[in-house]
Amino acid sequence: MLDVIGLKSEEDLVSYLPADVRFDGRLAIPDGKSEYEIVDYFREQGARNASGYASFLGAGVYHHYRPVLVDTVVSRGEFLTSYTPYQAEISQGTLTSIYEFQTMVCQLTGMDVANASMYDGSSAVPEAAMMAVRITGRDKVLIARTVHPEYREVLHTCTQHQGIPVAEFEYTKSGTVDLDDLAAKLDNETAAVMVQSPNFFGIIEQIEELSSIVSRKGALLVVVFTEAVSLGLVRPPKEADIVVGELQSFAISPAYGGPYAGIIAAREKYIRQLPGRLVGETKDANGHRAFCLTLATREQHIRREKATSNICTNQALLALMATVFMSVYGRQGLRELAQQNLAKAHYLASKLDLQFDAPFFNEFVARTNGKTPEQINRELLDEKIVGGLPLGRYYPELENCVLLCATEMSRRQDMDRVAEAFAKETRA
Amino acid sequence: MIKKVSRHIVQNEPLLFELSSPGKVGYQLPELDVPEVSAEKVLGAEHVRDDIEDFPEVSEFEVLRHFSRLSTWNYAIDLGLYPLGSCTMKYNPRVNELVARTEGLAWAHPYQPEELSQGCMEVIAALEQALAEITGMDAVTLQPAAGAHGEFTGILMIRALLETRGNPRKKILVPDSAHGTNPATATAIGYSVENIKSNDRGMVDLAVLERAVTEDVAGLMITNPNTVGVFEENIRKICGILHDKGALVYMDGANMNALVGVARPGDFGIDVMHLNLHKTFSTPHGGGGPGSGAVAVAKVLTPFLPSPRLKRVNDRWSWNYDLPQSIGRVRAFYGNYGVLVRALAYIMAHGGNGLRQATLDALLNANYLRKLLEPHYEIAYKAPSMHECVFSDDRQAKKGIRTGDIAKRLIDYGFHPYTVSFPLIVRGALMIEPTETEPKRELDLFADAMISIAKEIEENPELVRNAPHSTRTPRVDEVTAARKPIVRWKPESKASLSPAAD
Amino acid sequence: MSYPESYKYTKEHEWVHIEGDRATIGITDHAQHELGDIVFVDLPKPGSAVTKGQTFGSVESVKAVSDIYAPVSGEVTEANELLAKTPEQLNSDPHGAAWLIKVKLSPSNSETDSLMSAADYQNYVGAE
């Protein structure tokens, strides 16, 4: 090969670089390791983590069982090692599965159109806000304090230089959004009102009522969700204008925070304002049904500085995991799964002192009554249980509260132990 | 001889919704160990949904078959050369997939106590350190989810720094050869975009640049090697011009596969850059994601890195949220962790020397292909190629055949097309990046195919114009798809269903 | 396709047909040909203002999007609703049924001098 190019050694290729930029040193990275050593290293790191603990953490990331089929499908090289399906003739596998994904997201959320997925739930939030700004021609965004705190942070980071003022509104003693505070802050410049349901406290919001308040002022209602399993049982937010959320619950490993798959779905009339990739149905030259990426002119590679978003990739492989998960559970299974989550969470909640009284799905806020959340969690760790999330860091007014989550994977005996830890006197 | 890509036993797989039969299930849940509750009672009837209409009802085996069949309609690196320029489609080592599924890592909750997350944090720290070493930069954030997200993070930091100096400035300069994400990113952070024309060698024109850099310019976004596969030979001067006016230089690291171990952006004046871990560091593209857009910064930008940052306290890792100058979070949690694990595994497998060798092999493969194809296709710029080579369809266009047609014809020969019509500064571009993991035999087969197509264009252009001929799906009607978008299945569409080819 | 003599043309490939204080605006046959199959047309709402030399909408093909620049200033009185449902009309009849907008010219509109005649425009696109 070198002969063909006309070089003596591979080192000569480096001469293509100007002399003043060449790196002549050695990278301070240890020599290459064997496969066995690599596996061993990561096993060791894994073992230093919380292996073998029961967990009652939720807060945007949920422990649900992952059907075996999910990894079987996504491990197929044809899905794993292909690129974005630009060449429709040899990408029908990915395109068809994305079309199924878009359809299922619509069926679940009650929306008309959904894109091929977003980075994650948090980054979908500013995308929805900017979409509402484009649609309404207004610039203000109101977001409920009951939306995931990190999602709100991402919204602030991403909108700060876009001329989009973001304000937050309060929650009530019941744990739902404060409609009076919303009404006071909502005005004719508001582009979007963003709420989460089930909200960060696990509580289900009144979407219909919110929608009528918001639409009366000509703003758009954006509904966020983090626990996709809730959609198996809880009424979908079909009065919303835009729905964004996180599908981690659908067979995507918690994996210390990512990669996950976000969604954005909306009413049909907003289709051209959707960010990201979109797959559409069409016909091939033989007249048979085929799929292709469509409405690409919204995207950055064509519209450059005028694009609807700078997002390039979707999360195709994770969307595929979610698609397989939804197919395996299906119409009946998703409901039954949600029922189990509901039953487990309400079993645990029945043994604790709750902060809020509004209906909740599989997460709820419990008061610690005299102990600190840290004391309780410390005691639970000794029993190989990871307790709930202490809320003080995100909500100073809830410093003696813990956000707990129970899923179909929570065992009764572990829940009983959690209840005991809340009940018993602090060790000296 | 045409090697058929098609290997489909079943040409005719319906959608899941069309496969469904009422009552069929593919799951089994364990028996509930707590009392059942009535959803209507605990949630209120108004909060309980109706049935999920038209949701799939299929058996487990049908799910497996369905997706296995769909998979056979895809091309993939596992099947052959995937020479998409600027996408770095290299082999995705399978050990990376295994280690990413290590139980203690894959099941780690981002909010589990730090004392029970030390392994996860160690992996993040190790990768940050390796990437800082490879780029010659001071610090790395692994939070951004993909390249464009990394660009966003980097430009946000530039803005934050300039704001502390009293003026965020107004403009970002972008060469006309840049990826479309660059201008889109600058706009998203409130900057206007000024395009910088390339010179006749495909590089940034220093005179044009010098005139453009005023006190209004916040920074330059540059890709290096640039999108024509050429190293910007004046990169040090370019950085100097920007720095002299108090502006910063952002490097789009999409083409870092050409530089690892042979040149370090931090050494030649770059202030901030992103790395596509799904390109250079071999994590699988997965049909369009997930990726990871790690961002490396020079010292001057470290106070502005996204929150939180790892810190070492008493021999333990912990997350530091006390970062007054940070731009904040760009996403929830700590980044696409599963992708980070794979990238670290890749770096460990190669080691410092192996990474450098991979770069040399990538340069070798690209230049080898360039030499084989140069007699048949017009090279866009004479300057030496790095890890990819860019041709134009000038010669073929005379016969009425454009780059898009050649790309489709390549499919008949069993290859994925190269990147078509990009960069925009090359008329009818063919952008070819073989990567280091391709064996010579595959490169030769690819060159043979390209040369054969060049001959076909001379002798029988119609054959090329109507390609592909051998796929299950011939060319699709993208125009109708865009005019009348149908982006979800509905039961009505059953009526219009026509069976696929046999 | 012929270029009507009664129209005026711009370098950005729009045409304008002025009748009194009213004008009809479209894109030229040359423009639609360059764009290829048109899939979407984005037009301003009646009542909005257009300014000579500024963009007022865009035309999209599958892989390209082009801004449309106003050849004159005025207030939009009508946007061609036909194009929302059948954008392909713009490929078949750009100088007729597929006009884009009608405007009421602003009083200050003495700015039509810089526009080209049909003959000049045909020379221009021939030379481009």
Side-chain angles (χ1 to χ4, degrees), chain A residues 214-267:
Chain A
V214 169
S215 63
R216 239 178 282 143
K217 285 279 185 187
L220 302 191
L221 178 64
V222 179
V223 175
V224 183
F225 66 86
T226 60
E227 173 48 298
V229 168
S230 67
L231 290 165
L233 194 57
V234 177
R235 198 173 161 280
K238 55 188 174 200
E239 294 82 11
D241 296 286
I242 303 170
V243 175
V244 293
E246 172 58 65
L247 295 189
Q248 180 271 329
S249 287
F250 288 176
I252 300 172
S253 306
Y256 205 51
Y260 298 157
I263 65 110
I264 186 161
R267 299 189 185 198

Side-chain angles (χ1 to χ4, degrees), chain A residues 247-316:
Chain A
L247 295 189
Q248 180 271 329
S249 287
F250 288 176
I252 300 172
S253 306
Y256 205 51
Y260 298 157
I263 65 110
I264 186 161
R267 299 189 185 198
E268 178 120 46
K269 59 184 169 185
Y270 303 138
I271 186 169
R272 285 178 189 274
Q273 296 300 334
L274 274 179
R277 301 243 159 91
L278 205 51
V279 168
E281 182 185 327
T282 184
K283 290 197 171 9
D284 67 19
N286 295 335
H288 300 133
R289 178 171 66 188
F291 301 96
C292 64
L293 290 172
T294 194
L295 303 186
T297 43
R298 300 163 298 119
E299 293 181 55
Q300 28 64 36
H301 62 275
I302 291 173
R303 215 175 269 252
R304 296 175 81 86
E305 65 266 26
K306 289 179 184 161
T308 52
S309 158
N310 81 329
I311 289 183
C312 205
T313 46
N314 62 7
Q315 300 282 294

Side-chain angles (χ1 to χ4, degrees), chain A residues 42, chain B residues 96 99-102 105 123 127 336-346:
Chain A
F42 285 101
Chain B
N96 301 359
V99 297
R101 287 171 170 79
T102 305
L105 305 178
V123 167
L127 183 61
N336 280 348
Y337 184 78
V339 179
L340 310 181
V341 170
R342 290 169 173 88
L344 182 62
Y346 173 85

Side-chain angles (χ1 to χ4, degrees), chain B residues 137-158:
Chain B
M137 308 290 268
D138 273 79
V140 172
T141 173
L142 302 174
Q143 205 178 91
H149 207 209
E151 291 174 24
F152 181 84
T153 307
I155 300 298
L156 212 49
M157 285 190 268
I158 289 179

